[in-house]
Amino acid sequence: MWLGIAGLALLAACGSTGTNGNGSPSDSASGAGGPVGASAVTAENTPAAGNGTAAGGSTRRVVVLGTSLTAGLGLDPDDAYPALLQAKADSAGLPVTIVNAGLSGETSAGALRRAAWVLEQPAALVILEVGANDGLRGVDPDSTYANLVQLVETVRAQRPEAGIALVQMEAPSNLGRAYTRRFHEAYVRASKATAVPLWPFLLDGVAGVARLNQADGIHPNPQGSRRVAATMWTSMEPALRALPSP
């Protein structure tokens, strides 16, 4: 569970507006306040997010649609967890290209608006790391749930060939037990309603651990990012191995 003080620190420190990869403004929210963070890493400006193995056209594209946690805010691009996952996939001999489509400050509503643009190119697997900023802003969990369900439906409509995975996110504890419980359950409900697998909490073992986070107390540092990648890999590796051959 996110520590309340970390959530408050992030809201105070990262309130500027980002842009998406085509130059238009990033999400300006369903919920209070403006976007959290300012960097954007999208499918258009990081097509390979790894070692460039896509050049031969024989790899399958894995799109990670996410927030600043995916974009790697404050990190060297090679230390962002999608790049670390690319390295793991390469080492395992899996022919995939992991696309970092993270955008700082984005809420689940923003991800829903951006999804069609991100999915203009083919995808074999779409991983949804969305909603972290909903929790930081205190957005109604029912709204987050509805956006998650619609997001899955959008992916299925635009890329019916793609597998989909939803990553569990949590709300900061300063919003109270009732809210954090409802927020957690929004993901469980969305997973059940859409029959999409729910992967573990992205920041499991990292959230609230000072030595694994940057000064803002919420974005992982390089060591924390490695822990995030390890958590993600436990679910991603079997999903990648189950993909049809390119």
Side-chain angles (χ1 to χ4, degrees):
M1 191 64 64
W2 299 39
L3 294 185
I5 189 171
L8 293 172
L10 181 62
L11 288 171
C14 304
S16 56
T17 302
T19 60
N20 63 24
N22 62 7
S24 62
S26 68
D27 177 49
S28 57
S30 62
V36 180
S39 78
V41 183
T42 67
E44 291 298 315
N45 56 25
T46 57
N51 64 4
T53 54
S58 62
T59 66
R60 295 155 293 181
R61 296 177 80 251
V62 175
V63 178
V64 187
L65 179 63
T67 65
S68 58
L69 295 169
T70 293
L73 184 68
L75 296 174
D76 182 283
D78 289 340
D79 287 328
Y81 80 80
L84 300 178
L85 290 172
Q86 180 72 67
K88 288 179 180 292
D90 292 344
S91 295
L94 296 170
V96 298
T97 295
I98 298 176
V99 179
N100 184 333
L103 179 62
S104 292
E106 188 166 73
T107 61
S108 61
L112 183 58
R113 289 192 291 271
R114 187 167 63 104
W117 172 77
V118 169
L119 295 173
E120 285 181 354
Q121 297 185 48
L125 176 63
V126 179
I127 300 168
L128 305 174
E129 179 275 297
V130 298
N133 289 297
D134 293 33
L136 289 174
R137 298 174 185 183
V139 172
D140 186 342
D142 288 340
S143 177
T144 300
Y145 163 78
N147 289 335
L148 293 174
V149 171
Q150 290 182 54
L151 187 53
V152 171
E153 292 174 349
T154 297
V155 176
R156 283 178 170 156
Q158 186 152 342
R159 291 295 167 193
E161 75 281 6
I164 308 172
L166 177 63
V167 180
Q168 177 74 54
M169 300 306 297
E170 305 288 0
S173 59
N174 63 291
L175 296 174
R177 289 185 179 180
Y179 180 87
T180 56
R181 181 174 61 253
R182 289 181 60 219
F183 189 85
H184 175 90
E185 287 300 318
Y187 289 79
V188 178
R189 291 166 54 209
S191 173
K192 291 179 179 178
T194 61
V196 164
L198 182 62
W199 290 5
F201 177 36
L202 185 77
L203 299 179
D204 185 32
V206 175
V209 182
R211 64 182 178 81
L212 298 179
N213 287 279
Q214 299 176 46
D216 63 22
I218 200 165
H219 289 98
N221 58 25
Q223 183 180 357
S225 188
R226 289 192 293 273
R227 176 67 179 265
V228 170
T231 296
M232 288 285 282
W233 187 244
T234 61
S235 298
M236 179 179 280
E237 182 180 15
L240 295 182
R241 293 190 181 280
L243 292 176
S245 299

